[in-house]
Amino acid sequence: MNTEILGIIAMFLLTLVLAIPLGKYISKVYGMEKTWLDFIFNPLEKMFFKLSGVNPEEEMNWKQHMKALLTINIIWFVLGMIILMTMGTLPLNPDGNPSMSADLAFNTAISFVVNCNLQHYSGETGISYLGQFYLMFLQFVSAATGMAAAVVVFRAFRDKTTTELGNFYTYFMKSCTRILLPLSFVVAALLAFQGTPMTLEGKDSITTLQGEIQEVSRGPVAGFVAIKHIGTNGGGFFGTNGAHPLENPTYFTNMLEMWAQMIIPFAMIFAFGYFIKRRKFSWMIFGVMTIGFLALAIPNIVGEMRGNPMIEKMGIETSLGAMEGKETRIGAASSGYWSIATTVISTGSVNSMHDSTMPLSGMNQLLAMMINSFYGGVGVGILNFFVFIILAVFISGLMVGRTPEFFGKKVEAREMKIAMIIALMHPFLILVGTALTAAIPEYGTATLNNAGFHGLSEMLYEFTSASANNGSGFEGLGDNTVWWNVSTGIVLILARFLPIIGPVAIAGLLAQKKFIPQGDGTLKTDTATFGLVTLTVIVIIAALAFFPVLALGPIAEYFTIY
């Protein structure tokens, strides 16, 4: 057990140590400074911009950024729908997997476009290699989209008064070529050396120890798994995701994939501090996020290591912890840590079945997505947190009787309205979606494998995962139905783009305002006190909104066990 805990501490510290220099590098990339990869990618970028007719030097305001973002995402969605609905008759399909139905293709295309990867199909049997390649492409560009949007906010607070916030396509391209692609290449190579397949051949036939012939799926797995974690996408090449021995063969790959999904969310926080030259402010953000993360992760690790008391009462030895739905090569502690990291960061990949975790562990996984502000996905994580910073600035300003200011810009009614709409939209989508599903038996309870409190948690988890752009699931749920595909697809669209447009709009509006020099009465936003205020705002607005439904689900289930 001590070895397992040491492994978790090592994963976290290694991520933090490497995130700081990576954050500095990312700041240089977005600051258009010279980097060591320029000689490789500059010629390719110039060729791309020339062929596409895009002027990378053209400055955009925040509205032009959002127009470019939405336009390019619509194109990817339409192309995805076409490929997924016809892939059964297209090349690169050695296993003969069928095309998707219209509602499943709608859900899948939207899910991968918005960086959620909520999969209502089983990877190895539900999609061809061509489909997997297109989804791999979407994992790159959806992550780069979120990062490019975050840079608009970076620019808004670096320049004192401006309407020119850089070029979306330049930020997007540099996110792909300078950050996502190099890191994914390294991770994919290490995974391949550890035994993760990277091939275009179809299923392989093996002879089991019982002398029977069994077919084993394979494919271009290493490349897919690398970007699914580097880009905090989370979609599994195989149905069981990171619990599959070919997606995650060893304890080393488990640590590597854990590092891969956390490194850019960590680094983007420090990149913000380097970019706007306020490193202390980035440490305040990191401190608040880490307190929230540990408050969820530590109970999960402890709870999963203690085991299930109902199984122990049956006389079954549980010294390894609550091992239902877990891999013995990974263990209970690392599975508990991963379950919070993947829900806090919005990756959504799993190395164990969340439906089988202890009730309060499931609650913490839900809370991680409901709060949706601790680290978060690449780019959008810091955008979600930015909304709560604006709310905290406003509340703090009212407490001291002064017009709220943030980095020399007055926060007024327009910015506050946008921030509150974005903050309240998340619980609205989750709770309304769950309530509608529970109210219609043929849509809700008829699709459940578990009744009672746990069944409610399964429905709640699905909408929470969709709204948080996470993609993990309590998989005791028959979710490949028209209702689940369409309802969660709509939630995916709203929950992805409005929380991007909102913070970017706030940043753009603040950037236009007259800069006010810092004075004696200026609220300091890089202190522990302000960090505590921000954490309190997050808990009150994000967490308490969900307490009643959590009491009816995982908390009630907990009292049936203990």
Side-chain angles (χ1 to χ4, degrees):
M1 289 295 185
N2 290 334
T3 305
E4 290 185 81
I5 296 299
L6 288 175
I8 292 169
I9 294 172
M11 279 189 280
F12 183 85
L13 293 179
L14 179 64
T15 307
L16 175 58
V17 168
L18 293 178
I20 296 172
L22 180 59
K24 189 173 184 179
Y25 166 76
I26 291 173
S27 174
K28 287 184 176 182
V29 169
Y30 294 137
M32 305 305 158
E33 299 179 34
K34 187 177 181 180
T35 63
W36 61 281
L37 288 172
D38 287 350
F39 77 99
I40 298 174
F41 292 114
N42 273 348
L44 295 175
E45 288 179 359
K46 289 178 181 178
M47 181 180 68
F48 172 82
F49 287 128
K50 186 176 181 179
L51 293 173
S52 62
V54 172
N55 179 10
E57 304 299 326
E58 180 185 0
E59 291 284 337
M60 297 179 173
N61 60 32
W62 71 267
K63 293 180 182 178
Q64 291 171 318
H65 273 279
M66 293 300 95
K67 181 180 178 181
L69 184 152
L70 293 173
T71 301
I72 201 168
N73 274 268
I74 290 171
I75 295 171
W76 293 331
F77 165 70
V78 172
L79 183 57
M81 282 284 291
I82 294 171
I83 291 175
L84 295 174
M85 291 177 66
T86 60
M87 63 185 177
T89 58
L90 296 177
L92 293 177
N93 191 13
D95 297 330
N97 290 337
S99 301
M100 288 186 177
S101 63
D103 58 293
L104 180 56
F106 168 78
N107 184 276
T108 304
I110 284 292
S111 186
F112 277 80
V113 164
V114 303
N115 197 242
C116 179
N117 301 14
L118 187 73
Q119 294 173 290
H120 289 174
Y121 65 92
S122 185
E124 64 267 51
T125 60
I127 194 166
S128 69
Y129 290 173
L130 178 63
Q132 297 279 29
F133 275 123
Y134 186 71
L135 297 184
M136 193 189 304
F137 162 78
L138 290 179
Q139 291 184 127
F140 274 98
V141 296
S142 63
T145 296
M147 296 173 77
V151 184
V152 180
V153 176
F154 288 14
R155 275 290 301 271
F157 292 111
R158 188 189 68 177
D159 304 333
K160 291 186 177 180
T161 301
T162 185
T163 58
E164 297 182 344
L165 300 171
N167 186 284
F168 171 80
Y169 298 107
T170 299
Y171 296 150
F172 170 80
M173 183 61 67
K174 289 189 178 295
S175 298
C176 287
T177 58
R178 301 307 202 283
I179 302 166
L180 298 171
L181 187 60
L183 287 174
S184 296
F185 180 83
V186 172
V187 172
L190 291 172
L191 288 172
F193 278 114
Q194 285 290 303
T196 301
M198 191 64 191
T199 178
L200 293 179
E201 295 182 12
K203 294 179 180 178
D204 193 14
S205 296
I206 64 170
T207 303
T208 66
L209 294 176
Q210 288 80 17
E212 298 177 356
I213 302 297
Q214 180 174 334
E215 290 189 328
V216 177
S217 296
R218 48 186 176 172
V221 185
F224 190 97
V225 173
I227 185 56
K228 94 171 186 181
H229 284 126
I230 289 295
T232 64
N233 298 278
F237 191 95
F238 299 105
T240 53
N241 208 285
H244 196 286
L246 296 184
E247 276 203 36
N248 187 12
T250 66
Y251 194 80
F252 172 77
T253 61
N254 189 71
M255 293 184 69
L256 175 66
E257 292 176 24
M258 191 73 262
W259 173 87
Q261 63 186 289
M262 299 182 80
I263 186 64
I264 294 183
F266 277 31
M268 286 294 286
I269 300 168
F270 298 112
F272 186 36
Y274 280 113
F275 194 88
I276 66 173
K277 295 180 172 53
R278 294 175 180 264
R279 293 176 61 186
K280 190 176 179 182
F281 181 72
S282 66
W283 276 106
M284 182 279 295
I285 295 175
F286 183 80
V288 172
M289 290 182 173
T290 301
I291 290 171
F293 169 68
L294 294 178
L296 296 169
I298 291 173
N300 264 40
I301 295 167
V302 173
E304 296 306 307
M305 291 177 68
R306 282 179 176 172
N308 189 327
M310 297 187 73
I311 293 179
E312 193 171 359
K313 289 176 183 177
M314 297 168 63
I316 300 173
E317 200 270 333
T318 60
S319 62
L320 292 179
M323 290 303 294
E324 180 189 341
K326 297 182 178 65
E327 297 296 305
T328 54
R329 69 182 187 281
I330 295 171
S334 186
S335 297
Y337 178 75
W338 182 306
S339 71
I340 292 300
T342 194
T343 45
V344 159
I345 292 175
S346 83
T347 304
S349 66
V350 297
N351 69 351
S352 63
M353 298 302 103
H354 290 189
D355 200 38
S356 297
T357 55
M358 302 302 294
L360 294 188
S361 296
M363 182 189 73
N364 287 338
Q365 293 155 13
L366 282 163
L367 274 172
M369 296 183 290
M370 289 168 171
I371 294 171
N372 202 27
S373 300
F374 300 143
Y375 304 139
V378 290
V380 293
I382 203 164
L383 293 181
N384 290 334
F385 193 83
F386 173 68
V387 169
F388 289 105
I389 288 177
I390 295 297
L391 295 175
V393 166
F394 188 81
I395 292 170
S396 300
L398 294 179
M399 290 171 66
V400 299
R402 180 183 171 91
T403 302
E405 297 173 12
F406 182 58
F407 289 167
K409 305 295 177 72
K410 288 186 177 181
V411 178
E412 297 174 305
R414 186 164 49 171
E415 293 81 35
M416 278 302 300
K417 288 176 182 177
I418 297 172
M420 282 308 305
I421 289 171
I422 299 303
L424 295 177
M425 184 192 66
H426 185 53
F428 176 81
L429 292 174
I430 294 170
L431 297 177
V432 170
T434 304
L436 287 174
T437 306
I440 307 173
E442 59 267 33
Y443 293 161
T445 54
T447 64
L448 298 176
N449 290 327
N450 296 279
F453 307 126
H454 196 79
L456 175 62
S457 297
E458 290 174 350
M459 292 188 293
L460 177 66
Y461 197 106
E462 190 74 5
F463 280 105
T464 304
S465 183
S467 184
N469 284 136
N470 188 267
S472 62
F474 266 19
E475 295 303 348
L477 179 70
D479 50 23
N480 186 15
T481 66
V482 174
W483 168 256
W484 282 113
N485 288 333
V486 174
S487 63
T488 55
I490 293 171
V491 170
L492 286 166
I493 296 170
L494 296 174
R496 168 67 168 183
F497 294 112
L498 293 181
I500 288 179
I501 294 171
V504 170
I506 293 172
L509 293 171
L510 292 177
Q512 298 172 14
K513 295 185 179 184
K514 183 181 177 181
F515 179 78
I516 304 170
Q518 193 172 25
D520 293 337
T522 302
L523 174 68
K524 295 186 181 297
T525 56
D526 56 3
T527 63
T529 302
F530 182 75
L532 180 61
V533 172
T534 305
L535 182 61
T536 303
V537 170
I538 291 172
V539 171
I540 292 173
I541 294 179
L544 295 184
F546 296 103
F547 179 77
V549 72
L550 292 174
L552 294 173
I555 295 175
E557 184 183 0
Y558 169 82
F559 286 109
T560 65
I561 294 178
Y562 290 91

